[in-house]
Amino acid sequence: MAQEDPFEGLLGDTMKQKKQALVFANTRPRAESLAKQTAVIINPLLSVEEKKSLEKLSQKIENALEIPTEQCKKLAHLIKNGVAFHHAGLIARQRELVEDNFRNGLLKVISSTPTLAVGCNLPAFRVIITSVQRFDFSGMKNIPVREYKQMAGRSGRPKYDKAGESIVLCKTEIEAEEVKRNYILGKMEEVSSKLGVQPVLRMHLLALIASKYIFDVDSMDDFFARTFYAQQYHDLDNLKRMLRGLIKELYELEFIDGEENRFWATKIGQRVAELYLDPLSASALIKKLKRDKLNTFSVLFALTDTTEIRPYVNVSAKKEPEIWEEIQKRWEEMPLD
């Protein structure tokens, strides 16, 4: 007799208890693949009424865009089976429909990347974490303990349950022991402020001026003296030096204006703050978009040549000559001096 797959067994048991589950995957394709696997398990356990309601929800999901994409159709098909995938590639309306219908109990399982690990209050009795590893530019790495705790913390939310379960799927006893030691019993990493990083500080400074929390040097010094960065590093003199340099920079970029000791955001500065852009990126984009010859290629190049896109995605050695050749052909279209 074939042994039951642990993942399928956990989902079947969740449904038997009339509960819901969140499944966490480390990539978007994996989240979608697990949702497809889950649909086969959940569909036979749905009532006729639930299937009718899910059919209507499926149509809303598919028609969230005027012209449905392949992803819209894929998600809509899964919704009919009482399951969904959830990641940053979904449009806001689809994410809203998935979350709302999980809250009302119509959707039984969501398979997600860590997008649902923070700030979401959902009625998941059971959280199933399929891997504690994630790919970055140098290969597979263990996720931080903090990230595990966030995912585990989605189970058994006080509003919905008295208890919850978080389960990490492991292939061997050795791996299970390692997960227990590092994650379940492990200490969370220290939190350190990133406010001292110039692009971060520059963006927050403009946002605070645009929202009128800061309007002169005194209000600026007072606000930043109360931040976590100031409390953690006790280096106010260096922070003040950085802030004064950035104020000068924002004047030069024409994102703020002022008289005597007071300053305020210009119209374009206000818009840059609303878009959460690094002011340096915004300034570079404005200059590039003022060029006469603009097409899709040059606009896309301008967008990718910003601090927000870094670190750049690696290109395979096989693709690199092809890309350089294309760039040389279209050099005139490049938004560069």
PDB file of all heavy atoms in Angstrom, residues 54-74:
ATOM      1  N   LEU A  54     -18.014  29.548  -5.696  1.00  0.00           N
ATOM      2  CA  LEU A  54     -16.645  29.614  -6.222  1.00  0.00           C
ATOM      3  C   LEU A  54     -16.635  29.877  -7.728  1.00  0.00           C
ATOM      4  O   LEU A  54     -15.740  30.546  -8.248  1.00  0.00           O
ATOM      5  CB  LEU A  54     -15.888  28.319  -5.908  1.00  0.00           C
ATOM      6  CG  LEU A  54     -15.481  28.143  -4.436  1.00  0.00           C
ATOM      7  CD1 LEU A  54     -15.097  26.694  -4.139  1.00  0.00           C
ATOM      8  CD2 LEU A  54     -14.331  29.078  -4.061  1.00  0.00           C
ATOM      9  N   GLU A  55     -17.635  29.370  -8.437  1.00  0.00           N
ATOM     10  CA  GLU A  55     -17.770  29.633  -9.875  1.00  0.00           C
ATOM     11  C   GLU A  55     -17.928  31.137 -10.132  1.00  0.00           C
ATOM     12  O   GLU A  55     -17.292  31.705 -11.018  1.00  0.00           O
ATOM     13  CB  GLU A  55     -18.979  28.851 -10.416  1.00  0.00           C
ATOM     14  CG  GLU A  55     -19.179  28.943 -11.917  1.00  0.00           C
ATOM     15  CD  GLU A  55     -18.127  28.199 -12.716  1.00  0.00           C
ATOM     16  OE1 GLU A  55     -17.770  27.069 -12.352  1.00  0.00           O
ATOM     17  OE2 GLU A  55     -17.646  28.779 -13.713  1.00  0.00           O
ATOM     18  N   LYS A  56     -18.775  31.780  -9.317  1.00  0.00           N
ATOM     19  CA  LYS A  56     -18.983  33.246  -9.448  1.00  0.00           C
ATOM     20  C   LYS A  56     -17.697  34.008  -9.127  1.00  0.00           C
ATOM     21  O   LYS A  56     -17.339  34.964  -9.811  1.00  0.00           O
ATOM     22  CB  LYS A  56     -20.110  33.695  -8.504  1.00  0.00           C
ATOM     23  CG  LYS A  56     -21.497  33.245  -8.936  1.00  0.00           C
ATOM     24  CD  LYS A  56     -22.529  33.666  -7.897  1.00  0.00           C
ATOM     25  CE  LYS A  56     -23.881  33.036  -8.201  1.00  0.00           C
ATOM     26  NZ  LYS A  56     -24.840  33.233  -7.096  1.00  0.00           N
ATOM     27  N   LEU A  57     -17.016  33.571  -8.051  1.00  0.00           N
ATOM     28  CA  LEU A  57     -15.762  34.230  -7.660  1.00  0.00           C
ATOM     29  C   LEU A  57     -14.715  34.061  -8.763  1.00  0.00           C
ATOM     30  O   LEU A  57     -13.969  34.997  -9.074  1.00  0.00           O
ATOM     31  CB  LEU A  57     -15.255  33.634  -6.342  1.00  0.00           C
ATOM     32  CG  LEU A  57     -13.899  34.134  -5.831  1.00  0.00           C
ATOM     33  CD1 LEU A  57     -13.915  35.648  -5.596  1.00  0.00           C
ATOM     34  CD2 LEU A  57     -13.502  33.407  -4.550  1.00  0.00           C
ATOM     35  N   SER A  58     -14.686  32.888  -9.369  1.00  0.00           N
ATOM     36  CA  SER A  58     -13.739  32.602 -10.445  1.00  0.00           C
ATOM     37  C   SER A  58     -13.915  33.589 -11.610  1.00  0.00           C
ATOM     38  O   SER A  58     -12.937  34.083 -12.182  1.00  0.00           O
ATOM     39  CB  SER A  58     -13.953  31.163 -10.937  1.00  0.00           C
ATOM     40  OG  SER A  58     -13.203  30.924 -12.087  1.00  0.00           O
ATOM     41  N   GLN A  59     -15.159  33.889 -11.939  1.00  0.00           N
ATOM     42  CA  GLN A  59     -15.435  34.840 -13.040  1.00  0.00           C
ATOM     43  C   GLN A  59     -14.935  36.241 -12.693  1.00  0.00           C
ATOM     44  O   GLN A  59     -14.367  36.941 -13.540  1.00  0.00           O
ATOM     45  CB  GLN A  59     -16.938  34.861 -13.342  1.00  0.00           C
ATOM     46  CG  GLN A  59     -17.409  33.607 -14.056  1.00  0.00           C
ATOM     47  CD  GLN A  59     -18.920  33.480 -14.102  1.00  0.00           C
ATOM     48  OE1 GLN A  59     -19.656  34.434 -13.860  1.00  0.00           O
ATOM     49  NE2 GLN A  59     -19.417  32.292 -14.409  1.00  0.00           N
ATOM     50  N   LYS A  60     -15.127  36.644 -11.429  1.00  0.00           N
ATOM     51  CA  LYS A  60     -14.638  37.970 -10.989  1.00  0.00           C
ATOM     52  C   LYS A  60     -13.114  38.041 -11.093  1.00  0.00           C
ATOM     53  O   LYS A  60     -12.561  39.047 -11.514  1.00  0.00           O
ATOM     54  CB  LYS A  60     -15.056  38.233  -9.525  1.00  0.00           C
ATOM     55  CG  LYS A  60     -16.507  38.573  -9.336  1.00  0.00           C
ATOM     56  CD  LYS A  60     -16.756  38.887  -7.862  1.00  0.00           C
ATOM     57  CE  LYS A  60     -18.235  38.999  -7.567  1.00  0.00           C
ATOM     58  NZ  LYS A  60     -18.495  39.164  -6.122  1.00  0.00           N
ATOM     59  N   ILE A  61     -12.450  36.970 -10.669  1.00  0.00           N
ATOM     60  CA  ILE A  61     -10.985  36.925 -10.713  1.00  0.00           C
ATOM     61  C   ILE A  61     -10.488  37.005 -12.159  1.00  0.00           C
ATOM     62  O   ILE A  61      -9.558  37.753 -12.469  1.00  0.00           O
ATOM     63  CB  ILE A  61     -10.469  35.618 -10.046  1.00  0.00           C
ATOM     64  CG1 ILE A  61     -10.690  35.644  -8.531  1.00  0.00           C
ATOM     65  CG2 ILE A  61      -9.011  35.350 -10.401  1.00  0.00           C
ATOM     66  CD1 ILE A  61      -9.677  36.400  -7.707  1.00  0.00           C
ATOM     67  N   GLU A  62     -11.138  36.230 -13.050  1.00  0.00           N
ATOM     68  CA  GLU A  62     -10.694  36.198 -14.448  1.00  0.00           C
ATOM     69  C   GLU A  62     -10.911  37.539 -15.135  1.00  0.00           C
ATOM     70  O   GLU A  62     -10.113  37.961 -15.974  1.00  0.00           O
ATOM     71  CB  GLU A  62     -11.433  35.089 -15.219  1.00  0.00           C
ATOM     72  CG  GLU A  62     -10.901  34.926 -16.618  1.00  0.00           C
ATOM     73  CD  GLU A  62     -11.347  33.627 -17.284  1.00  0.00           C
ATOM     74  OE1 GLU A  62     -11.882  32.731 -16.590  1.00  0.00           O
ATOM     75  OE2 GLU A  62     -11.157  33.518 -18.500  1.00  0.00           O
ATOM     76  N   ASN A  63     -11.979  38.236 -14.753  1.00  0.00           N
ATOM     77  CA  ASN A  63     -12.310  39.511 -15.411  1.00  0.00           C
ATOM     78  C   ASN A  63     -11.820  40.734 -14.649  1.00  0.00           C
ATOM     79  O   ASN A  63     -12.291  41.842 -14.878  1.00  0.00           O
ATOM     80  CB  ASN A  63     -13.830  39.595 -15.628  1.00  0.00           C
ATOM     81  CG  ASN A  63     -14.320  38.489 -16.545  1.00  0.00           C
ATOM     82  OD1 ASN A  63     -13.712  38.234 -17.578  1.00  0.00           O
ATOM     83  ND2 ASN A  63     -15.383  37.804 -16.156  1.00  0.00           N
ATOM     84  N   ALA A  64     -10.868  40.522 -13.742  1.00  0.00           N
ATOM     85  CA  ALA A  64     -10.309  41.671 -12.998  1.00  0.00           C
ATOM     86  C   ALA A  64      -9.567  42.622 -13.944  1.00  0.00           C
ATOM     87  O   ALA A  64      -9.459  43.809 -13.679  1.00  0.00           O
ATOM     88  CB  ALA A  64      -9.363  41.177 -11.900  1.00  0.00           C
ATOM     89  N   LEU A  65      -9.052  42.082 -15.051  1.00  0.00           N
ATOM     90  CA  LEU A  65      -8.449  42.901 -16.112  1.00  0.00           C
ATOM     91  C   LEU A  65      -9.377  42.866 -17.322  1.00  0.00           C
ATOM     92  O   LEU A  65     -10.102  41.883 -17.536  1.00  0.00           O
ATOM     93  CB  LEU A  65      -7.085  42.355 -16.512  1.00  0.00           C
ATOM     94  CG  LEU A  65      -5.942  42.550 -15.517  1.00  0.00           C
ATOM     95  CD1 LEU A  65      -4.716  41.766 -15.980  1.00  0.00           C
ATOM     96  CD2 LEU A  65      -5.580  44.013 -15.362  1.00  0.00           C
ATOM     97  N   GLU A  66      -9.336  43.923 -18.113  1.00  0.00           N
ATOM     98  CA  GLU A  66     -10.201  43.997 -19.295  1.00  0.00           C
ATOM     99  C   GLU A  66      -9.936  42.819 -20.231  1.00  0.00           C
ATOM    100  O   GLU A  66     -10.853  42.196 -20.760  1.00  0.00           O
ATOM    101  CB  GLU A  66      -9.938  45.318 -20.032  1.00  0.00           C
ATOM    102  CG  GLU A  66     -11.066  45.706 -20.951  1.00  0.00           C
ATOM    103  CD  GLU A  66     -10.882  47.109 -21.514  1.00  0.00           C
ATOM    104  OE1 GLU A  66     -10.398  48.001 -20.793  1.00  0.00           O
ATOM    105  OE2 GLU A  66     -11.224  47.287 -22.683  1.00  0.00           O
ATOM    106  N   ILE A  67      -8.639  42.519 -20.449  1.00  0.00           N
ATOM    107  CA  ILE A  67      -8.266  41.351 -21.252  1.00  0.00           C
ATOM    108  C   ILE A  67      -7.530  40.382 -20.320  1.00  0.00           C
ATOM    109  O   ILE A  67      -6.410  40.663 -19.891  1.00  0.00           O
ATOM    110  CB  ILE A  67      -7.360  41.736 -22.442  1.00  0.00           C
ATOM    111  CG1 ILE A  67      -8.083  42.736 -23.340  1.00  0.00           C
ATOM    112  CG2 ILE A  67      -6.931  40.497 -23.214  1.00  0.00           C
ATOM    113  CD1 ILE A  67      -7.216  43.370 -24.399  1.00  0.00           C
ATOM    114  N   PRO A  68      -8.155  39.270 -19.954  1.00  0.00           N
ATOM    115  CA  PRO A  68      -7.524  38.343 -18.999  1.00  0.00           C
ATOM    116  C   PRO A  68      -6.199  37.795 -19.521  1.00  0.00           C
ATOM    117  O   PRO A  68      -6.083  37.437 -20.693  1.00  0.00           O
ATOM    118  CB  PRO A  68      -8.545  37.216 -18.848  1.00  0.00           C
ATOM    119  CG  PRO A  68      -9.836  37.786 -19.338  1.00  0.00           C
ATOM    120  CD  PRO A  68      -9.475  38.791 -20.383  1.00  0.00           C
ATOM    121  N   THR A  69      -5.200  37.739 -18.633  1.00  0.00           N
ATOM    122  CA  THR A  69      -3.903  37.152 -18.979  1.00  0.00           C
ATOM    123  C   THR A  69      -3.955  35.651 -18.698  1.00  0.00           C
ATOM    124  O   THR A  69      -4.927  35.155 -18.109  1.00  0.00           O
ATOM    125  CB  THR A  69      -2.782  37.774 -18.122  1.00  0.00           C
ATOM    126  OG1 THR A  69      -3.058  37.467 -16.745  1.00  0.00           O
ATOM    127  CG2 THR A  69      -2.695  39.282 -18.309  1.00  0.00           C
ATOM    128  N   GLU A  70      -2.885  34.946 -19.096  1.00  0.00           N
ATOM    129  CA  GLU A  70      -2.800  33.507 -18.792  1.00  0.00           C
ATOM    130  C   GLU A  70      -2.849  33.276 -17.284  1.00  0.00           C
ATOM    131  O   GLU A  70      -3.433  32.320 -16.801  1.00  0.00           O
ATOM    132  CB  GLU A  70      -1.510  32.918 -19.377  1.00  0.00           C
ATOM    133  CG  GLU A  70      -1.581  32.609 -20.863  1.00  0.00           C
ATOM    134  CD  GLU A  70      -2.771  31.718 -21.225  1.00  0.00           C
ATOM    135  OE1 GLU A  70      -2.931  30.656 -20.589  1.00  0.00           O
ATOM    136  OE2 GLU A  70      -3.538  32.090 -22.123  1.00  0.00           O
ATOM    137  N   GLN A  71      -2.190  34.199 -16.532  1.00  0.00           N
ATOM    138  CA  GLN A  71      -2.178  34.075 -15.072  1.00  0.00           C
ATOM    139  C   GLN A  71      -3.584  34.233 -14.502  1.00  0.00           C
ATOM    140  O   GLN A  71      -3.976  33.502 -13.588  1.00  0.00           O
ATOM    141  CB  GLN A  71      -1.244  35.121 -14.457  1.00  0.00           C
ATOM    142  CG  GLN A  71      -1.149  34.997 -12.946  1.00  0.00           C
ATOM    143  CD  GLN A  71      -0.128  35.945 -12.352  1.00  0.00           C
ATOM    144  OE1 GLN A  71       1.016  35.601 -12.177  1.00  0.00           O
ATOM    145  NE2 GLN A  71      -0.552  37.158 -12.051  1.00  0.00           N
ATOM    146  N   CYS A  72      -4.363  35.180 -15.048  1.00  0.00           N
ATOM    147  CA  CYS A  72      -5.758  35.377 -14.603  1.00  0.00           C
ATOM    148  C   CYS A  72      -6.557  34.091 -14.792  1.00  0.00           C
ATOM    149  O   CYS A  72      -7.308  33.674 -13.907  1.00  0.00           O
ATOM    150  CB  CYS A  72      -6.430  36.501 -15.405  1.00  0.00           C
ATOM    151  SG  CYS A  72      -5.755  38.146 -15.119  1.00  0.00           S
ATOM    152  N   LYS A  73      -6.381  33.462 -15.969  1.00  0.00           N
ATOM    153  CA  LYS A  73      -7.133  32.239 -16.274  1.00  0.00           C
ATOM    154  C   LYS A  73      -6.707  31.086 -15.353  1.00  0.00           C
ATOM    155  O   LYS A  73      -7.541  30.308 -14.893  1.00  0.00           O
ATOM    156  CB  LYS A  73      -6.907  31.844 -17.740  1.00  0.00           C
ATOM    157  CG  LYS A  73      -7.561  32.813 -18.727  1.00  0.00           C
ATOM    158  CD  LYS A  73      -7.156  32.497 -20.153  1.00  0.00           C
ATOM    159  CE  LYS A  73      -7.697  33.553 -21.106  1.00  0.00           C
ATOM    160  NZ  LYS A  73      -7.177  33.388 -22.478  1.00  0.00           N
ATOM    161  N   LYS A  74      -5.394  31.007 -15.109  1.00  0.00           N
ATOM    162  CA  LYS A  74      -4.856  29.946 -14.238  1.00  0.00           C
ATOM    163  C   LYS A  74      -5.419  30.080 -12.821  1.00  0.00           C
ATOM    164  O   LYS A  74      -5.873  29.107 -12.223  1.00  0.00           O
ATOM    165  CB  LYS A  74      -3.327  30.066 -14.209  1.00  0.00           C
ATOM    166  CG  LYS A  74      -2.609  28.837 -13.673  1.00  0.00           C
ATOM    167  CD  LYS A  74      -1.123  29.091 -13.447  1.00  0.00           C
ATOM    168  CE  LYS A  74      -0.371  29.369 -14.726  1.00  0.00           C
ATOM    169  NZ  LYS A  74       1.085  29.573 -14.476  1.00  0.00           N
TER     170      LYS A  74
END
